[in-house]
Amino acid sequence: SQTIHQWPATLVQPVGSPLSLECTVEGTSNPNLYWYRQAAGRGLQLLFYSVGIGQISSEVPQNLSASRPQDRQFILSSKKLLLSDSGFYLCAWRRTSGIQQFFGPGTRLTVL
Amino acid sequence: AQKVTQAQTEISVVEKEDVTLDCVYETRDTTYYLFWYKQPPSGELVFLIRRNSFDEQNEISGRYSWNFQKSTSSFNFTITASQVVDSAVYFCALSEASGGSYIPTFGRGTSLIVHP
């Protein structure tokens, strides 16, 4: 069976510090991977998605970047965090031949 | 462009009541997919169901049932005999088949609070 991991689970960072959130998927090959942010108010905002190693599509221009160094690893980064980067970050995956997405446990980021 | 509307921001019920969560969608595609996800307080979105646009058959899974009506562009979710563990935010989502990316558009969610 497939599982998706995210870490850390929670993170408190000062403004201006760097960020690295990691997401890994087990039990599948060549998944499509996604990063979402959920700010207060519950809406899900798609940030990045990837259909393969090194292939990143950005949905919203902002202070964040994503990378996919390995087939089942997806990293969300920032060089300098802003207060507005606070939120709940969710990673999701989809089988190449599938339709629905499956989500990880999320990382709650607080920028102070 | 695709759009999903969940007009109910928050619903509060007492345990054992039946509750229906509404979802209305817009799409120009003839082939599309509808989903419901549950987000408990822990935060993880849990996939509940997917319906294909070419299959209007309603579905029941235990206390959960889904009513898909293309004529009204709705995909409503009913919980029968609600329980405290049903308390969560529920998201409806839509993916269009054209383009092949299947990236879903999510509604803003309905927060369901079930009181004991």
Side-chain angles (χ1 to χ4, degrees):
Chain A
S1 64
Q2 299 81 24
T3 56
I4 179 169
H5 304 279
Q6 285 187 245
W7 63 88
T10 60
L11 191 60
V12 179
Q13 292 284 92
V15 169
S17 63
L19 173 73
S20 181
L21 303 182
E22 190 165 341
C23 169
T24 59
V25 181
E26 295 177 356
T28 188
S29 296
N30 196 31
N32 287 9
L33 297 171
Y34 308 82
W35 277 114
Y36 288 87
R37 178 168 59 199
Q38 187 178 30
R42 303 195 302 265
L44 282 161
Q45 179 186 36
L46 178 64
L47 302 175
F48 302 94
Y49 69 95
S50 171
V51 299
I53 296 175
Q55 300 178 63
I56 308 294
S57 296
S58 174
E59 289 294 302
V60 183
Q62 51 199 312
N63 186 41
L64 302 169
S65 63
S67 62
R68 185 170 176 175
Q70 300 180 43
D71 181 44
R72 290 170 289 174
Q73 184 184 33
F74 204 21
I75 297 173
L76 183 68
S77 304
S78 174
K79 292 182 179 178
K80 287 185 178 181
L81 283 168
L82 307 172
L83 286 174
S84 57
D85 291 324
S86 292
F88 189 56
Y89 288 82
L90 287 156
C91 182
W93 73 276
R94 175 178 72 82
R95 288 187 184 86
T96 303
S97 59
I99 296 172
Q100 64 262 26
Q101 295 180 350
F102 299 95
F103 286 80
T107 294
R108 196 164 302 279
L109 171 66
T110 303
V111 183
L112 301 174
Chain B
Q2 56 195 49
K3 183 179 178 182
V4 175
T5 302
Q6 294 180 256
Q8 303 152 309
T9 304
E10 183 176 298
I11 301 175
S12 184
V13 299
V14 177
E15 211 169 18
K16 298 184 182 177
E17 284 185 29
D18 298 347
V19 57
T20 296
L21 310 181
D22 298 332
C23 174
V24 175
Y25 63 91
E26 294 177 28
T27 177
R28 293 181 180 177
D29 270 25
T30 55
T31 302
Y32 53 90
Y33 305 89
L34 295 162
F35 313 87
W36 276 96
Y37 287 86
K38 174 182 180 180
Q39 186 177 38
S42 61
E44 178 179 352
L45 262 75
V46 178
F47 169 75
L48 295 178
I49 191 172
R50 182 189 95 204
R51 294 311 283 173
N52 306 332
S53 57
F54 44 85
D55 179 7
E56 279 193 78
Q57 198 169 26
N58 293 326
E59 183 152 339
I60 298 175
S61 176
R63 296 184 297 107
Y64 295 173
S65 62
W66 291 269
N67 183 2
F68 177 27
Q69 291 198 338
K70 290 178 76 170
S71 61
T72 56
S73 296
S74 65
F75 185 43
N76 297 337
F77 173 27
T78 297
I79 301 175
T80 302
S82 60
Q83 300 176 1
V84 173
V85 294
D86 296 326
S87 296
V89 179
Y90 291 87
F91 290 92
C92 180
L94 164 73
S95 288
E96 294 174 338
S98 61
S101 71
Y102 298 108
I103 292 177
T105 293
F106 287 86
R108 291 191 57 79
T110 296
S111 177
L112 173 64
I113 302 169
V114 182
H115 299 280

